[in-house]
Amino acid sequence: MKLNNATIAQLGEHIAHPTYPRHALGHGIVHIGVGGFHRAHEAVYTERFLRLTQDQNWGICGIGLRESDSAMAQVLREQDYLYSLMELGQAEYPRVEVIGAISDYLFAPDSPAAVLEKLASPQTRIVSLTITEGGYLLDDHSGEFNFDHADIVHDLANPQSPRTVFGYLSAALATRRERGLPAFTLMSCDNLPHNGDKARHALLSFAARHDQALASWIAENASFPNSMVDRITPITTSAHKELLRNFAAIEDAWPVVCEPFLQWVMEDDFCNGRPAWEQVGVQFTADVAPYEQMKMRLLNASHSAMSYLGYLMGYRYSHEVMQDARLSGFIRRFMDLDVTPTLGTIEGISLEQYKDTLVERFANPRIGDQLARLCMDGSSKIPKFILGTLEERLEAGAPAHRFALILAGWALYLHNARQPGADYKVEDPLADQLLSATAEAVGISGRLLGLEEIFGPQLQHSVGFVTAVDTALQQLQHQGVTATLEQETWAA
Ligand code: NAD
């Protein structure tokens, strides 16, 4: 049965679906970057809120800015913006529900004016983002906005026909200001430290370049809550679609799959109202920093740590990595010995329990989280998830050999991508620089750590650390990953 408004009433009783009048939903929320994660996280919390309260003000209108979003635009349109969520956990069968919180979608390349109007609409009170870690165009070390990006150059020259998120947001906020409308909350849901502060800095930097008065107005009137977001959401595959068809008799061209675990901790800083998400499990707090630090340094950093080494060992899914005691032991020691000492006490959290839960979540065989997904965009993930911890450990004079092995794993993954027989491509905005730095087998570590846009200006001068990466890389190259991991060195 194809999923749409007409068929929703025929869903099996065990499949929860919208119980509020979807046709009457206003779009208090506009979301840019409707991919897997938004559909498994913010849209799910919002769905729960709509079902619970029947409030009609907080529906979501999705927006896709990139040409590659045309497939999502088409699928959602054909399904009346409904989609299936499949939770894959311990239970033998998936838990399936149909989500209706997104009730419209605008594809910007087809209708930029409609997108600008939607963002400027009085009904729009929150604009949320999942545009990936690299989408904020901020240098990880200097914090500066990348004005040299070709699309930013375009947007500054053509403010009424933008291409980037910052071009759209800035033009829409200019219209709101002219029309005497309040600003909106810009709510980043990307995995980056202080995501609200980063979104604010990027937007204000862009806006100030062409209109200082507008930037000041945004700074005074908009708000930018920081948040910690968590739910492992792999890329949907045809096997997932088939499982949905067999298990729930639903034909959905793009269901979303995720683990049962779901968490959202957020600062309560909304300039223009918000849904009472606390009624459906969102935790509001005055300071989200300790939670986001814990999550990024433990969960996201472990993902990066396992992905390259695991891929080199021939694994393709996170649960395969966790079944290999050598690699899962290495990851746990990295969490315990390298990361945990950098985390303070966090109210209401036992770090031991949190790490145990992570190990369970990584090991979930049903979800099939792809290492290829975790390997993507290393140049923006590694600085955000790993380098902060590394710098603190180096400053404290602590051993950094496990960090060295993780970076050596990345280096070898990059180097091998160009070797005959490689069955993967490096997916990264800086792929060209990464591949040229790692092309020649000799001297890789020095050249890789010399990429200042990733590692900053200092690390390449830390002779001891560069040597440690080099040594680890040579071990990986000459002995292989398995034999390297078997050494006692990594245990202490
Ligand atoms: P996805 O590939 O399914 O979707 C990404 C969306 O962002 C697409 O619509 C894409 O067009 C858009 N996008 C990418 N770069 C953009 C840019 N520069 N400007 C505007 N739009 C852009 O990915 P996803 O799984 O939804 O993950 C998106 C982000 O969500 C991650 O990068 C991460 O920050 C966060 N997140 C993901 C997970 C997860 O498990 N997938 C978990 C926590 C947080």
Side-chain angles (χ1 to χ4, degrees), residues 32-39 63-66 68-69 72 105 130-137 163-165 189-192 229-234 254 295 300 303 369 373 377 381:
I32 301 178
V34 179
F37 183 62
H38 171 71
R39 298 194 302 150
I63 289 184
L65 296 187
R66 309 189 124 193
S68 53
D69 289 313
M72 182 63 80
Y105 185 95
T130 46
I131 54 169
T132 78
E133 292 80 5
Y136 294 77
L137 302 177
R163 289 181 187 154
T164 72
V165 65
C189 296
D190 277 296
N191 272 328
L192 62 167
V229 293
D230 197 3
R231 179 170 237 186
I232 294 174
T233 310
W254 205 335
K295 190 250 171 180
N300 299 106
H303 266 162
D369 194 16
R373 177 182 87 83
D377 298 347
K381 288 177 176 169

Side-chain angles (χ1 to χ4, degrees), residues 136-147 201 205:
Y136 294 77
L137 302 177
L138 295 172
D139 184 290
D140 281 302
H141 303 280
S142 67
E144 279 176 24
F145 187 72
N146 181 2
F147 285 104
H201 180 56
S205 303

Side-chain angles (χ1 to χ4, degrees), residues 2-5 22 34 39 68-84 102 104-105 107 236 241 251-256:
K2 277 198 192 310
L3 183 63
N4 56 40
N5 279 343
R22 273 187 88 226
V34 179
R39 298 194 302 150
S68 53
D69 289 313
S70 66
M72 182 63 80
Q74 192 184 341
V75 164
L76 287 179
R77 201 180 320 116
E78 285 172 3
Q79 298 184 175
D80 297 322
Y81 312 99
L82 294 164
Y83 64 91
S84 328
I102 301 174
D104 197 4
Y105 185 95
F107 178 54
T236 307
K241 291 184 208 169
E251 286 284 345
D252 185 330
W254 205 335
V256 62

